[in-house]
């Protein structure tokens, strides 16, 4: 090649132009993300606030673009004069397109996944689905369902391909060492800007920005997902320590006086060894249940759960009830071990190797036979590992169902996740009738789940209505009704406490259930045959299930639980907590406090269902609630990092 050339478009200028094109792709991806989930962001979304979030997004896009494009930048600016060749520049172009095409794909995929989690995807997603063998089918289904996103992806990548600029050259008298020196100086000049962009700024006080920094541009925790981008969320969580212990309290006794997860029963009544049955119903959010939404839609709402409505009429429920996480793997620790999700799913953190107790282990120690049921293959979602670590003696999954000649085997497999709910719940009932009393069991259902299919024989019975999940809710509700019909004929039925809740919430078509707090509204239903039904004006949460059951059984030994005994706690002392995009939400005294780990960012009355009026400045109990929440957080973090999840 001829070394005597001078660029019309220098390597630095070409690199900067192409990086600018990447910014455009990230911007379009964010707009698509917003439009795909419009109803979650539109309440109170003014133009000025949208501009604020979009500007905040540029900060995180800068970090993600520069990190992911480091190989491209180095290839373009490294001082090698033979970079002039067409082959070398073609390699640079395809490195650029592959890197930024993958980034675009993750952003668009996350636009679909957001409504299930209300957050950007982090690296824990790889552990979460590590044992699943049906992800290809899930991806194919969603690709067909959101074909327009595929078309947009192809259009944007085509645009990047067409707009991409290679350096241009013409003959001159410049020698090779002058050219190499110029590109070396360009690389050196760009390096500090790359470092500053990745860190989030030039200021010495600026530490590398993290996911939680997105909240400085938002009014609500849910909005942080719009400010962030998925490549940033992925690489910022690689190998990061999940739990960091704050220093709100220097004195252990002082902290324990405010809040302690160690329960020391004062009950003098002998333990009543009733059977315990916990139904964890996939995606069965409070929104779908007519009996728990009597004032919704101007009191015209009927919901999609006639069987559960009938059960609630005979049960104990609560005016406010919440889940403690947004994923299936958050539900099991919360419900069965009274461990909420803070920062990341407990399953996927090093703390999952701690010595953990739960309903099963506590009752196993009292002579109970315990078993966990889930209609998917063994190992799915890590449920089997967690069940065994928390004291379940037996685990029954799809393989066990298939081996039982009384049932239909794999003919009852939904083709994607698990055995359909109706037959598997009948199997569940039959297996409990073979167990000796007292027993404790838990069932995790599966049918009210993506891809939102129901058995062929019910497709005319439960047609499409409302949003896509509603037909699945009706099917699962029917399965629950048939389960209770079968259970009521068993000799163990009247000596059993049943708890029904959901693992998390799911798709919504009401704005109230799309708010920061509304997205955590799960049912908590306690049914004990012969017990008078009641609706308590209390705040309930999944982590309260374990201590409440221990209270109902008059369990007399100390135990560990982050929740409270709902039936023996005064109404005004009940509370709930959850975590969303770097913000802790603490519900008590008719209000929800939002706390970023350092300070309160907002407070809302529970009567302000759409969370439109921030009353943090005037709320008299704010300081008290902050202190209580700080004690909960510090107890959680200390005990997680020190393996102290025992009394």
């Amino acid at each position: 090649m001829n070394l005597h050339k001078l660029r019309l478009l220098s390597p630095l200028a070409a690199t900067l132009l192409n990086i600018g094109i990447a910014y455009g792709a990230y911007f379009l991806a964010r707009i698509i993300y917003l439009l795909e989930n419009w109803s979650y962001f539109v309440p109170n979304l003014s133009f000025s606030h949208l501009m604020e979030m979009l500007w905040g997004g540029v900060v995180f896009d800068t970090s993600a673009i520069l990190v992911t494009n480091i190989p491209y930048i180095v290839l373009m600016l490294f001082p090698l004069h033979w970079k002039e060749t067409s082959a070398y520049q073609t390699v640079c172009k395809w490195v650029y397109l592959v890197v930024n095409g993958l980034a675009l794909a993750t952003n668009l995929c996350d636009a679909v996944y957001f409504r299930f989690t209300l957050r950007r995807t982090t690296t824990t997603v790889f552990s979460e689905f590590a044992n699943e063998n049906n992800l290809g089918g899930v991806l194919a289904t969603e690709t067909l369902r959101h074909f327009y996103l595929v078309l947009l992806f192809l259009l944007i990548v085509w645009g990047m391909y067409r707009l991409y600029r290679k350096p241009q050259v013409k003959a001159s008298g410049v020698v090779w060492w002058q050219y190499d020196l110029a590109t070396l100086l360009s690389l050196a000049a760009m390096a500090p800007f790359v470092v500053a962009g990745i860190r989030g700024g030039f200021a010495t006080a600026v530490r590398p920005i993290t996911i939680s920094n997105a909240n400085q541009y938002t009014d609500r925790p849910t909005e942080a997902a719009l400010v962030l981008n998925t490549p940033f969320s992925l690489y910022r969580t690689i190998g990061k320590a999940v739990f960091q212990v704050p220093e709100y309290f220097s004195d252990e006794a002082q902290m324990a006086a405010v809040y302690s997860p160690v329960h020391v029963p004062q009950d003098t009544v002998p333990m009543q060894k009733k059977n315990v049955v916990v139904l964890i119903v996939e995606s069965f959010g409070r929104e779908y249940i007519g009996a728990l939404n009597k004032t919704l839609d101007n009191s015209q709402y009927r919901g999609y759960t006639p069987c559960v409505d009938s059960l609630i009429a005979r049960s104990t429920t609560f005016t406010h009830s919440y889940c403690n996480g947004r994923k299936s793997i958050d539900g099991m620790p919360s419900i069965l071990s009274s461990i909420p999700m803070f920062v990341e799913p407990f399953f996927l953190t090093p703390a999952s190797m701690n010595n953990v107790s739960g309903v099963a282990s506590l009752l196993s120690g009292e002579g109970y036979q315990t078993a966990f049921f889930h209609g998917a293959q063994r190992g799915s979602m890590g449920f089997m590992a967690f069940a065994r670590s928390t004291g379940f003696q037996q685990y029954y999954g799809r393989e066990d169902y298939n081996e039982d000649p009384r049932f239909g085997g794999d003919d009852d497999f939904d083709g994607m996740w698990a055995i359909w709910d109706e037959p598997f719940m009948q199997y569940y009932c039959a297996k409990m009738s073979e167990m000796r009393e007292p027993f404790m069991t838990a069932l995790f259902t599966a049918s009210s789940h993506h891809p939102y299919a129901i058995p062929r024989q019910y497709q005319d019975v439960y047609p499409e209505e409302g949003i896509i999940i509603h037909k699945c809710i009706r099917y699962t509700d029917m399965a629950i009704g048939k389960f209770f019909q079968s259970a009521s004929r068993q000799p163990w039925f009247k000596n059993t406490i049943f708890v029904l809740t959901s693992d998390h919430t799911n798709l919504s078509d009401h704005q109230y259930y799309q708010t920061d707090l509304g997205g955590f509204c799960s049912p908590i239903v306690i049914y004990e045959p012969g017990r008078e039904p009641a609706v308590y004006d209390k705040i309930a949460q999944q982590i309260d299930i374990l201590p409440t059951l221990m209270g109902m059984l008059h369990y007399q030994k100390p135990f560990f639980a982050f929740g409270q005994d709902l039936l023996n706690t005064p109404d005004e002392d009940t509370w709930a907590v959850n975590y969303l995009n770097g913000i802790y939400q603490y519900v008590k005294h008719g209000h929800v406090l939002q706390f970023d780990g350092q300070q309160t960012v907002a407070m809302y009355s529970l009567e302000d269902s759409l969370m439109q009026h921030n009353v943090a400045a005037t709320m008299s109990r704010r300081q008290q609630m902050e202190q209580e929440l700080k004690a909960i957080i510090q107890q959680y973090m200390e005990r997680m990092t020190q393996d102290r999840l025992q009394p």
Side-chain angles (χ1 to χ4, degrees):
M1 91 177 236
N2 182 5
L3 300 177
H4 300 282
K5 296 183 176 181
L6 177 67
R7 292 189 171 281
L8 287 173
L9 184 62
S10 70
L12 178 60
T15 301
L16 293 177
L17 283 173
N18 294 328
I19 292 297
I21 295 169
Y23 272 98
Y26 273 70
F27 174 78
L28 291 175
R30 179 168 286 105
I31 296 302
I32 294 169
Y33 196 99
L34 170 63
L35 296 176
E36 180 70 16
N37 301 286
W38 180 255
S39 62
Y40 288 87
F41 297 113
V42 69
N44 305 316
L45 181 61
S46 65
F47 179 77
S48 61
H49 182 49
L50 176 60
M51 292 299 102
E52 179 185 16
M53 289 193 290
L54 292 178
W55 171 248
V58 172
V59 176
F60 294 93
D61 289 353
T62 297
S63 183
I65 289 169
L66 293 178
V67 166
T68 57
N69 281 279
I70 283 175
Y72 171 72
I73 294 171
V74 171
L75 284 171
M76 287 289 285
L77 299 183
F78 201 74
L80 294 172
H81 49 270
W82 45 267
K83 298 201 314 291
E84 304 292 347
T85 64
S86 176
Y88 186 94
Q89 288 301 321
T90 299
V91 169
C92 291
K93 180 175 183 177
W94 281 104
V95 167
Y96 170 87
L97 290 173
V98 169
V99 165
N100 291 290
L102 286 173
L104 174 64
T106 61
N107 278 320
L108 296 184
C109 287
D110 226 7
V112 176
Y113 194 43
F114 164 80
R115 66 192 62 186
F116 304 108
T117 63
L118 299 186
R119 59 186 295 193
R120 287 280 182 169
T121 296
T122 64
T123 50
T124 58
V125 73
F126 301 111
S127 301
E128 180 180 351
F129 295 107
N131 296 315
E132 306 305 320
N133 59 9
N134 57 356
L135 297 185
V138 172
L139 183 60
T141 300
E142 285 305 305
T143 299
L144 291 173
R145 186 170 289 158
H146 297 89
F147 67 92
Y148 52 90
L149 293 182
V150 177
L151 296 177
L152 286 170
F153 168 78
L154 294 174
L155 180 62
I156 295 171
V157 170
W158 178 82
M160 288 193 289
Y161 175 84
R162 295 289 296 172
L163 293 172
Y164 183 89
R165 290 292 177 264
K166 291 182 180 180
Q168 300 172 358
V169 298
K170 71 175 182 179
S172 105
V174 179
V175 295
W176 68 266
W177 66 264
Q178 292 174 315
Y179 165 68
D180 284 355
L181 178 61
T183 53
L184 178 62
L185 291 175
S186 297
L187 183 61
M190 192 167 181
F193 290 95
V194 170
V195 172
I198 291 172
R199 288 177 56 85
F202 278 102
T204 56
V206 174
R207 61 180 175 87
I209 55 173
T210 64
I211 290 173
S212 61
N213 291 111
N215 288 298
Q216 73 187 74
Y217 302 99
T218 68
D219 291 337
R220 302 182 295 124
T222 302
E223 294 174 342
L226 187 60
V227 176
L228 293 165
N229 62 75
T230 305
F232 178 90
S233 297
L234 288 170
Y235 85 75
R236 272 297 181 207
T237 53
I238 295 174
K240 296 295 184 182
V242 177
F243 301 131
Q244 298 182 355
V245 180
E247 297 180 353
Y248 304 132
F249 298 87
S250 57
D251 183 82
E252 182 78 23
Q254 179 190 14
M255 179 170 60
V258 178
Y259 167 78
S260 173
V262 176
H263 296 250
V264 182
Q266 305 296 319
D267 202 335
T268 59
V269 177
M271 183 173 179
Q272 298 179 10
K273 294 188 177 181
K274 291 194 168 190
N275 306 312
V276 173
V277 172
V278 179
L279 304 177
I280 306 172
V281 187
E282 172 68 47
S283 302
F284 211 70
R286 187 178 175 113
E287 176 180 7
Y288 311 131
I289 302 173
L292 300 180
N293 291 282
K294 293 183 177 179
T295 62
L296 199 62
D297 292 346
N298 296 317
S299 301
Q300 300 301 308
Y301 186 72
R302 295 295 176 264
Y304 305 89
T305 60
C307 296
V308 169
D309 289 350
S310 176
L311 179 70
I312 286 173
R314 297 169 286 159
S315 303
T316 297
T317 55
F318 308 91
T319 53
H320 302 281
S321 56
Y322 305 97
C323 52
N324 296 103
R326 287 284 309 183
K327 296 183 178 182
S328 295
I329 55 174
D330 299 328
M332 276 186 66
S334 298
I335 295 162
L336 299 175
S337 291
S338 193
I339 297 174
M341 193 288 284
F342 284 174
V343 186
E344 290 292 350
F346 173 76
F347 267 28
L348 308 179
T349 69
S352 63
M353 303 304 294
N354 290 351
N355 187 13
V356 182
S357 61
V359 179
S361 61
L362 295 176
L363 296 184
S364 291
E366 300 301 317
Y368 278 65
Q369 189 174 359
T370 59
F372 186 87
F373 293 77
H374 182 48
Q377 67 184 33
R378 287 171 172 255
S380 175
M381 303 297 292
F383 289 169
M384 185 174 183
F386 183 78
R388 287 186 169 178
S389 72
T390 56
F392 283 97
Q393 300 153 0
Q394 299 292 331
Y395 183 98
Y396 296 98
R398 176 183 167 191
E399 297 88 344
D400 305 284
Y401 179 88
N402 291 345
E403 292 174 0
D404 195 319
R406 296 172 296 180
F407 296 90
D410 246 7
D411 289 342
D412 295 328
F413 178 54
D414 66 10
M416 186 69 72
W417 292 104
I419 303 299
W420 293 112
D421 284 351
E422 180 188 9
F424 195 76
M425 293 185 81
Q426 293 301 308
Y427 170 77
Y428 176 47
C429 183
K431 295 298 290 185
M432 283 192 289
S433 295
E434 297 171 1
M435 298 173 68
R436 69 170 163 75
E437 299 185 60
F439 57 75
M440 182 272 152
T441 67
L443 166 74
F444 205 121
T445 72
S447 294
S448 44
H449 192 288
H450 177 278
Y452 309 115
I454 59 176
R456 185 177 295 106
Q457 65 268 31
Y458 288 105
Q459 289 176 1
D460 292 332
V461 179
Y462 306 118
E464 296 285 350
E465 59 178 323
I467 53 179
I468 194 169
I469 196 174
H470 287 161
K471 64 181 184 297
C472 304
I473 296 297
R474 286 199 183 276
Y475 167 75
T476 294
D477 174 72
M478 175 274 295
I480 293 170
K482 287 190 174 182
F483 164 78
F484 275 100
Q485 288 176 8
S486 297
S488 66
R489 296 191 291 267
Q490 308 307 312
W492 46 264
F493 178 75
K494 291 185 178 180
N495 190 43
T496 302
I497 300 172
F498 297 87
V499 177
L500 184 148
T501 188
S502 68
D503 56 341
H504 55 74
T505 62
N506 206 303
L507 305 179
S508 169
D509 61 349
H510 290 89
Q511 280 196 357
Y512 165 60
Y513 288 105
Q514 296 174 0
T515 64
D516 296 333
L517 186 60
F520 288 88
C521 288
S522 280
I524 295 178
V525 180
I526 301 173
Y527 173 57
E528 184 178 8
R531 185 185 184 96
E532 286 295 317
V535 179
Y536 289 102
D537 187 18
K538 296 188 177 191
I539 296 167
Q541 57 188 325
Q542 289 172 331
I543 61 173
D544 297 336
I545 290 172
L546 185 155
T548 300
L549 285 170
M550 295 303 106
M552 294 178 72
L553 297 172
H554 302 285
Y555 184 82
Q556 296 188 342
K557 299 175 183 177
F559 63 91
F560 184 92
F562 282 102
Q564 64 212 317
D565 179 353
L566 289 169
L567 302 183
N568 290 292
T569 300
D571 297 1
E572 64 273 14
D573 292 335
T574 56
W575 54 272
V577 66
N578 49 59
Y579 179 93
L580 179 64
N581 294 326
I583 300 295
Y584 296 90
Q585 297 190 122
Y586 183 54
V587 186
K588 194 174 184 181
H589 304 305
H591 288 77
V592 53
L593 177 144
Q594 294 182 331
F595 182 74
D596 67 2
Q598 300 297 323
Q599 61 185 356
T600 293
V601 296
M603 287 188 73
Y604 302 94
S605 168
L606 294 182
E607 295 180 356
D608 179 12
S609 62
L610 298 184
M611 304 180 75
Q612 296 175 316
H613 307 289
N614 184 354
V615 297
T618 59
M619 177 58 182
S620 60
R621 291 185 181 267
R622 170 179 164 178
Q623 186 174 0
Q624 175 192 344
M625 290 177 68
E626 281 182 358
Q627 193 78 345
E628 292 169 353
L629 178 56
K630 287 178 178 178
I632 295 169
I633 296 169
Q634 187 166 334
Q635 286 276 16
Y636 185 96
M637 297 302 175
E638 285 188 1
R639 291 176 178 275
M640 286 293 172
T641 56
Q642 298 168 13
D643 192 4
R644 292 196 294 130
L645 302 181
Q646 297 286 335

